[in-house]
């Protein structure tokens, strides 16, 4: 593991994202994680993926809620990828208030889809590397 910080996206909680209790709606936490995943792929060079006719696809998402968020709160949403063997990889996002309070943690399983065959490819990390994706942006362990 390195000393590098994971990728971060800053988001301000908007009034229309609240539930009837005045808290951030549960589904919006997932949306914040998706925003961070889209931003990290863009920063890592996702145009190269499109040229290679590949795209990351979300297979599973699990969230643990820690502390509520309210309108006007500003959060950093981190994103960090990890790789193993097989066709899947994982991304972890942490939604953190600016005072350091962890509001939620999202763990996702993803695959890399061949857009012509509509199938997951084996070794997504290798495909990312061959497509010129900057793995140091995607993962602090690279």
């Amino acid at each position: 593991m390195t000393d590098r910080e994971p990728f971060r996206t800053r988001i301000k909680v908007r009034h229309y994202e609240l539930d009837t209790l005045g808290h951030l709606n549960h589904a919006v936490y997932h949306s914040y994680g998706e925003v961070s995943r889209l931003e990290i792929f863009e920063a890592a060079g996702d145009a190269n993926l499109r040229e290679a006719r590949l795209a990351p696809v979300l297979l599973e998402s699990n969230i643990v809620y820690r502390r509520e968020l309210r309108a006007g709160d500003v959060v950093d949403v981190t994103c960090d990828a990890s790789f193993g063997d097989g066709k899947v990889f994982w991304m972890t996002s942490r939604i953190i208030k600016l005072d350091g309070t962890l509001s939620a943690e999202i763990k996702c399983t993803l695959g890399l889809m061949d857009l012509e065959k509509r199938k997951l490819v084996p070794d997504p990390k290798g495909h990312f590397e061959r497509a010129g994706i900057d793995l140091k942006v995607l993962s602090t362990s690279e």
Side-chain angles (χ1 to χ4, degrees), residues 10-21:
R10 186 155 288 174
I11 300 174
K12 183 177 180 179
V13 176
R14 296 164 296 250
H15 288 86
Y16 63 83
E17 297 172 322
L18 305 180
D19 63 17
T20 58
L21 298 175

Side-chain angles (χ1 to χ4, degrees), residues 7-14 17 24 28-33 35-36 67-79 93-106:
F7 183 87
R8 291 175 180 261
T9 303
R10 186 155 288 174
I11 300 174
K12 183 177 180 179
V13 176
R14 296 164 296 250
E17 297 172 322
L24 186 66
V28 179
Y29 285 87
H30 285 285
S31 294
Y32 286 4
V35 167
S36 189
R67 295 286 184 271
E68 67 188 11
L69 291 173
R70 296 185 175 273
D73 285 343
V74 177
V75 296
D76 282 334
V77 184
T78 68
C79 197
S93 292
R94 300 174 81 227
I95 301 175
I96 305 166
K97 291 175 69 170
L98 296 185
D99 68 4
T101 302
L102 177 63
S103 292
E105 187 171 30
I106 305 168

